[in-house]
Amino acid sequence: MIVFVVSIILSILTGIYLFIKKKYSFFEENGIPYIKPSFPLGNMKGIGSKYHMSEIIRKVYEECKDKGKIVGFYNLIQAAYLVTDLEIVKVVAVKDFNNFVNRGVFNNEEYEPLSAHLFSIEDDRWRFIRNKISPVFTSGKLKFMYPTISDKAKNFVSAVDRKSKNGAPVAVKDLANRFTVDIISSVAFGMEANTLNDEHEELINIFREVFGEDGPSMFFFFFVMAFPKLAKTLRLRQFSKRLSDFFINVVGRNIKYREDNNDKRNDFLNMLIQLKNKGSIDGEFSTETKKLTLNEVLAQCFLFFLAGSDTSSTTISFALTQLAFNIDMQEKLRAEILEKTKDNNGVISYETLHEMTYLNQVVSETLRMYTPGFTLLRQSSEDFEVPDTNVTIKKGSSVWIPTLAFHFDERFWVNPNKFDPERFTQEEIAKRPAQCYFPFGEGPRNCIGMRFGLVNVKFGVAMIIKNFKVTPNSKMEYPIKLNPKSPGMDPITGFWLNLRKFKVIF
Ligand code: HEM
C-alpha cells in the first residue's frame, strides 16, 4: 500500500515538474530573448519583499532591452511579453489596437458586479461603455466641477493647517487621500464625505482596504493575471463583500434620491444617471440610444474611485515631497502661483491653473519618476507577428508595456534618477521622442480621466505651496525608496513633511 501511495505521489510530482519545465521552456523554444526564470515566481522573485512590483519590471526591462524590441518573461509560470522599444509600444497600443483591445485583467461580473468596470471589461462591451462615458470627461463638463474641487482644496489647506500646529510633522499622503476621496465621493457618488474633517471614516477604511499594505496582495494580483480562468472558477473576489455592499448601498441610495426628487447637479453621477435613464447626456449628440444598467453605472462610479483617488493623491504627495527636498524649485513654483493669481485676489481660477507652466513641469516630472500606472497591460486576441522582429505573440498572451522603465531609460533621459522639472520646458520636450513619456497610457484605451486627474493634482499642489513652506521631516530619507509591500507607489518611510503656514489667502 505504502509503495502504491508513494508511486502515485511521485508520478504527480513528476507530472507537475514536467508541466512547469515545459512552461518555462516556451521562450527558449521560440527563440525569444528572456531571463532564466525560477520556480514558483518565474521572473518575479523578490516581489513584495525586496522589490516593489515596478522595480522588478524595470529590472527585467534593463536586463533585456538590448536583446530585442519585445522580450519574454514569466509571471509566475505564465509566459508574457515585455515591450522594450517605442515603435512596438505604438504598434500594440495604437496601430494594431484592434488586436490589443483588452487588458486581460480579472473580473467576475456574475459574482462581483462592481468588478465589471471600464478598466476590466472587454471588446464591444468596452467600446460601448467607453463611447457612452467619454463625454463625461470633456473640459467643458470638468469646468462645472471646478467649484467642488476648489471647495475641497480649501478643506485640504485647513486640514494641513490643523495637523501641522506647533510644528508637528504631517503624514501628507493621508490628507492627500482624503482630499481626492472627498472630491470623487462628491462628484461620482453624490456624497459629501468630508473625510478631511474626519467624517465618514468608513470611506477612508475602504481606501486603505483597496490601496493599503493590507489590501489585495501583489501575489493575488499576479495570480489572477496568470490564471484568470482558475480565479473565476474559484470565485475569487477583488474586494470584500462588505466593501461592495457598502458602496452599492450608498451610491444606489443617492441615485434613487436624485431620481425621486428630480435633483440635478453638475457632476459625474448626474451624467451617469442620464445615461441610465435615457442613454445620452443632456446637450450631447448621440445616435446610440442604448441605456446603461444600474449595475453598469455603479461599476463605473466605483472605478472612478479606484482609478482616480490613489493615482492623484500619490502624485500630489510625491510632488510636495520633491519640492520639500528642492527648496529652490519650491520657491520658483510659489513665485509663479503668486504672480498668476495677484490680479484675482490670490484665487486660483480654472484658467490660471492652466497658465501655470512651471506647475505643469513639476507635475509632469513627478509623473515621470513616480508613475502610478507604471505598467500598461494588453492582451493579444489573435496570434500576432510583431513587425521588424521574429516574434509572434501567441493568442491570449499578455503584453506588458513598462511605462516607468521607459521613463527612466537613459536612451531618452539624461540622469534619470534626478528630479528635474526643467526636462519639461518646450525646448527640452522637443529634443526627445514624444512617445517616451506616457504616464496616462497610450492609444484608445488610455486614461479617460486624465484632465480631471491633472486638475485635482495641480490644484492640490498649488494650494499647499501657496499657503505653506514645505520641508522634509527627519523621518524621510532621500533619495526616496519605494515600499515593496505597497501595491501602489509609497516611500518606505511614508510621506512625512513639515509644513509652516504663511498668511492664508484663499
Ligand atoms: C494622476 C492621475 C491619474 C493617472 C496617473 C492615471 C493613469 C492611468 C493609466 C496609466 C491608465 C491605463 C491606460 C492604458 O492602459 O493605456 C488609466 C486608465 C484609466 N483611468 Fe486613469 N489616471 C489618473 C486619474 C484618473 C481619474 C481621476 C479617473 C476618473 C475619475 C481615471 C479613470 C481611468 C479609467 C476609467 C481608466 C480605464 C480606461 C479604459 O480602460 O478605457 N483616471 N489611468
Side-chain angles (χ1 to χ4, degrees), residues 103 118-119 126 130 137 303-304 307-308 311-312 315 367 372-373 376 378 439-442 445-449 452-453 457:
R103 295 200 171 88
L118 196 66
F119 195 84
W126 169 76
R130 174 99 188 191
F137 290 93
L303 175 61
F304 294 171
T311 45
S312 307
T315 311
L367 284 166
L376 311 181
R378 299 290 186 268
F440 291 95
E442 189 62 279
R445 202 141 191 186
N446 68 354
C447 176
I448 203 170
F452 180 64
V457 168

Side-chain angles (χ1 to χ4, degrees), residues 70-98:
I70 179 158
V71 299
F73 75 102
Y74 292 95
N75 171 25
L76 314 185
I77 58 169
Q78 207 64 304
Y81 298 81
L82 188 81
V83 180
T84 57
D85 178 88
L86 289 177
E87 272 310 307
I88 311 296
V89 174
K90 269 266 168 296
V91 167
V92 172
V94 185
K95 289 190 193 146
D96 287 282
F97 176 71
N98 281 340

Side-chain angles (χ1 to χ4, degrees), residues 154-192:
K154 286 179 193 166
N155 292 347
F156 186 24
V157 168
S158 306
V160 170
D161 188 26
R162 277 197 311 276
K163 297 275 176 189
S164 59
K165 278 273 169 321
N166 306 319
V170 177
V172 130
K173 175 86 189 282
D174 177 57
L175 296 183
N177 289 343
R178 289 167 189 265
F179 170 53
T180 57
V181 165
D182 281 1
I183 294 173
I184 302 225
S185 314
S186 172
V187 297
F189 307 169
M191 172 182 182
E192 289 312 312

Side-chain angles (χ1 to χ4, degrees), residues 30 64 76 145 149 160 195 206 210 284 289-290 321 343 391 417 479 481 497-498:
N30 287 279
C64 286
L76 314 185
M145 284 175 245
I149 302 172
V160 170
T195 63
I206 287 184
V210 177
E284 292 291 331
T289 49
K290 199 171 153 206
T321 304
D343 295 334
V391 175
N417 290 316
K481 287 203 197 91
L497 299 177
N498 298 325

